[in-house]
Amino acid sequence: MSWETLGVYRLLSSIPLVVIIVNLQYEGSEGGANPQEIDQHLKLGTQLLSAGQLADALSHFHAAIDGDPDNYLTYFRRATVYLAMGKSRQALPDLSRVIQLKPDFTQARVQRANVYLKQGKLNDAENDYMEVLRVSPNHEDAKTQLGFIEPIREAVQETDEMMTQGRWNEAIQLLTVAIDKCVWDPSLREKRAQCYMEIGEHFKAINDIKPTTKMRPDNTEAYFRVSKMYYDVGELEDSLTEVRECLKLDPDHKSCFPHYKHAKKLNKLYNSAQNFINEGRYQEAIVKLEAALEAESQIWAFVLKARSKICRCYAKLKDVPHAIKNCAEVLEMDENNIEALVDRAETYILAEEFERAVEDYQKAHDIDNNLRHVTEGLEKAKRLLKQSQKRDYYKILGVKRNARKREIEKAYRKLAAEWHPDNFRSEEEKKIAEKKFIEIAAAREVLADPEKRQKFDNGEDPLDPEEQQRRQNPWGHQGFHFNPFGPGGGNGFNGFKFHFN
């Protein structure tokens, strides 16, 4: 069953069965020309209404009313369609016309009273319910609905007092009760939206204001308010969608037009920055993001968004000072920003500040331990910290962690020439030099080999035999040998193999 069909079913189920039978089976018309043609429109309209094809049913009832403007049941049928479509404003004139043509048609008056109540027109609803009860004192629906009106009046009055006293949560509770009955009253939703805004529930405020764009004709102010609310929480696309609706009604609206131009410009900057990030053009992305900060420096959500992306860009560029500075600014604004913690942790690893990297990753993990990249990053940082407390090949060669192979080879050659054992005469000096030379050769062995270097960068020492045995063959035993005086090494010790324990 479709939603429209279900809506019709619920609506018709609220009308007494005898009225529905009279309404759907009525075949005559009380006047007008071409009665057969009018009856055909009524028959088709009724069938389509029952099938939930509301728009088609409506067109036939339009035609029937044009042919016979004094048939009260045709107006009632069309009002039924309007109500099923959620168009209460269009239904009201038809219900009023029914009552004008047939004042004793109780069901039409009850339906009009129900509409008035949902629209928050309490006095009009009360008058209709009272009239129904005057004619039919035992009418249960009228009795029940009439009983809601006075409590709603009192709740609304009490709400106004609470709002002046800043008792926002209490006001929300009372307004919610009132809105449950007066679902089409825009003023109640606007009041509750104000309360939600006061307690920082921006999205709940938006959900209250959005329906009012349909409850009042050409409600440009509501579209503007919703657009601004979305903007204030950083939802640019939604903000633009709402402000465009405002401009459809008034292209030169004094508030909507300038807001649209500003939001569109800002959105273009963010989209351009994201495209550059996707392409790995981080420096160009930073330029766009800095421009976005200049365009909007007051709204917290946008400042955080720009700063977060700048933090990420500098981290990707491996620009340690700028990355740490910008990531710190993000975390001052939002201390639980996981991605900023991750970006700063990776930057700390680059700067060989492994304890700080572990701290950032650990905090990110504490916030959400279900993120795989955070868990893997934490494990990596811990391995690197443990590794740094042992042998650090980068420090041995005196190069940075992002050093290229050419820099590594250059550093190796310089140190190897300096610490080659042939350069020393005494046995004691030769032993010290030999140990130092072994470290230098081992560092070159790891860092000049992309695969071994990647293992080391992930916290694993490829020249640690115990670690390799644990990873490759936890039950076996093997030694590890390499020749520090191989190609590109020195002379005098060529062919000599050192054993690492």
Side-chain angles (χ1 to χ4, degrees):
M1 182 181 292
S2 70
W3 287 107
E4 286 188 338
T5 304
L6 182 62
V8 173
Y9 172 78
R10 288 175 174 170
L11 179 65
L12 296 180
S13 65
S14 68
I15 304 174
L17 180 60
V18 65
V19 176
I20 295 175
I21 293 173
V22 171
N23 185 34
L24 298 180
Q25 299 298 325
Y26 182 79
E27 295 181 353
S29 62
E30 297 186 350
N34 301 317
Q36 291 182 346
E37 183 179 347
I38 293 171
D39 286 346
Q40 183 65 16
H41 282 302
L42 292 174
K43 182 178 179 181
L44 288 172
T46 300
Q47 291 173 350
L48 293 166
L49 171 60
S50 300
Q53 300 179 40
L54 304 181
D56 293 333
L58 196 61
S59 64
H60 284 288
F61 290 140
H62 286 330
I65 288 173
D66 288 341
D68 182 5
D70 295 324
N71 185 340
Y72 73 93
L73 280 174
T74 308
Y75 284 104
F76 187 73
R77 294 177 195 181
R78 189 168 72 174
T80 300
V81 177
Y82 279 136
L83 290 173
M85 296 174 76
K87 297 181 177 182
S88 60
R89 288 201 306 272
Q90 290 90 329
L92 269 179
D94 279 358
L95 291 171
S96 296
R97 178 64 173 156
V98 173
I99 294 169
Q100 180 185 9
L101 293 170
K102 192 170 179 59
D104 61 345
F105 193 180
T106 301
Q107 189 55 39
R109 196 176 291 275
V110 170
Q111 289 291 1
R112 188 174 73 172
N114 290 343
V115 172
Y116 281 145
L117 178 58
K118 290 179 179 179
Q119 290 182 338
K121 298 176 179 178
L122 301 182
N123 292 337
D124 293 331
E126 186 176 50
N127 291 336
D128 271 347
Y129 288 134
M130 293 291 286
E131 180 61 23
V132 170
L133 292 173
R134 186 186 68 78
V135 176
S136 303
N138 296 321
H139 197 290
E140 291 301 323
D141 188 24
K143 279 184 180 179
T144 301
Q145 297 295 87
L146 182 61
F148 294 131
I149 292 178
E150 191 56 35
I152 292 173
R153 279 199 187 105
E154 294 175 358
V156 172
Q157 183 177 358
E158 191 173 351
T159 294
D160 292 338
E161 295 175 3
M162 289 177 175
M163 290 177 68
T164 59
Q165 298 168 7
R167 296 157 60 190
W168 309 112
N169 286 301
E170 295 174 72
I172 288 170
Q173 291 177 0
L174 284 181
L175 285 166
T176 300
V177 173
I179 290 171
D180 185 55
K181 296 300 178 184
C182 307
V183 293
W184 298 331
D185 186 347
S187 65
L188 294 180
R189 291 184 179 272
E190 288 163 352
K191 287 181 180 180
R192 191 169 68 176
Q194 181 184 344
C195 294
Y196 279 134
M197 289 294 290
E198 292 290 345
I199 63 173
E201 295 280 3
H202 292 84
F203 284 104
K204 289 183 178 180
I206 289 171
N207 289 336
D208 265 343
I209 294 295
K210 283 189 77 171
T212 68
T213 60
K214 309 299 182 185
M215 293 175 185
R216 288 198 176 105
D218 299 334
N219 197 352
T220 54
E221 289 305 316
Y223 281 118
F224 176 67
R225 284 188 67 189
V226 174
S227 179
K228 277 289 293 174
M229 287 178 179
Y230 274 128
Y231 183 86
D232 290 344
V233 295
E235 298 294 336
L236 262 180
E237 293 290 349
D238 289 325
S239 178
L240 284 167
T241 297
E242 298 299 327
V243 78
R244 286 189 185 106
E245 292 299 318
C246 172
L247 293 175
K248 286 179 184 178
L249 298 172
D250 182 358
D252 299 315
H253 193 279
K254 64 180 181 179
S255 299
C256 291
F257 184 66
H259 175 67
Y260 170 72
K261 288 179 63 179
H262 175 72
K264 185 180 179 181
K265 175 186 175 182
L266 191 61
N267 196 47
K268 185 177 179 180
L269 288 170
Y270 278 120
N271 288 340
S272 296
Q274 189 59 53
N275 289 336
F276 283 136
I277 291 172
N278 295 342
E279 296 169 6
R281 298 159 65 182
Y282 300 112
Q283 197 63 57
E284 291 165 276
I286 290 171
V287 172
K288 293 294 182 181
L289 292 166
E290 294 287 1
L293 277 173
E294 288 183 15
E296 180 53 81
S297 60
Q298 300 301 316
I299 302 299
W300 182 88
F302 290 123
V303 175
L304 180 65
K305 181 178 180 178
R307 289 286 176 209
S308 298
K309 290 182 181 293
I310 291 172
C311 159
R312 169 63 52 87
C313 289
Y314 278 123
K316 291 294 185 182
L317 288 169
K318 298 183 179 179
D319 185 334
V320 173
H322 285 98
I324 290 177
K325 174 180 178 292
N326 282 276
C327 293
E329 289 178 356
V330 173
L331 292 167
E332 284 179 9
M333 297 179 69
D334 177 13
E335 64 179 357
N336 294 324
N337 191 302
I338 290 177
E339 293 310 313
L341 286 166
V342 168
D343 289 333
R344 190 170 70 173
E346 286 298 306
T347 306
Y348 279 142
I349 287 174
L350 195 63
E352 301 182 14
E353 296 187 38
F354 303 117
E355 289 187 10
R356 290 187 174 184
V358 170
E359 289 174 3
D360 276 354
Y361 266 125
Q362 186 62 60
K363 183 171 182 179
H365 189 266
D366 291 342
I367 295 168
D368 188 344
N369 58 12
N370 294 315
L371 297 174
R372 182 176 177 181
H373 71 292
V374 173
T375 301
E376 291 177 349
L378 178 59
E379 292 172 355
K380 171 185 169 183
K382 286 180 176 179
R383 287 197 305 270
L384 289 169
L385 175 60
K386 183 178 179 181
Q387 183 187 83
S388 70
Q389 295 166 347
K390 296 180 179 179
R391 182 166 47 191
D392 188 332
Y393 297 121
Y394 289 104
K395 286 185 178 179
I396 289 171
L397 291 184
V399 297
K400 295 181 178 179
R401 295 188 76 88
N402 60 349
R404 297 182 179 180
K405 185 175 180 180
R406 183 174 59 185
E407 297 174 73
I408 291 168
E409 294 287 2
K410 181 179 178 181
Y412 165 73
R413 287 193 297 270
K414 179 182 177 182
L415 290 170
E418 179 182 348
W419 288 98
H420 197 286
D422 285 352
N423 295 334
F424 300 86
R425 293 183 179 181
S426 72
E427 287 301 317
E428 186 177 348
E429 287 177 337
K430 282 182 179 290
K431 287 182 180 179
I432 294 172
E434 181 180 310
K435 182 179 179 182
K436 185 71 174 178
F437 190 84
I438 289 173
E439 291 181 348
I440 295 165
R444 185 248 188 185
E445 178 75 11
V446 171
L447 300 184
D449 183 309
E451 184 178 347
K452 291 178 181 177
R453 183 178 181 179
Q454 184 62 52
K455 286 183 177 181
F456 185 76
D457 286 345
N458 288 331
E460 174 187 348
D461 188 346
L463 300 187
D464 185 334
E466 292 183 3
E467 186 172 338
Q468 295 306 305
Q469 286 175 31
R470 285 197 303 271
R471 291 177 180 275
Q472 298 174 11
N473 184 13
W475 305 108
H477 177 73
Q478 62 183 27
F480 183 82
H481 299 270
F482 86 103
N483 182 5
F485 301 101
N491 51 50
F493 276 72
N494 286 347
F496 188 90
K497 295 184 178 180
F498 294 100
H499 180 78
F500 277 82
N501 292 321

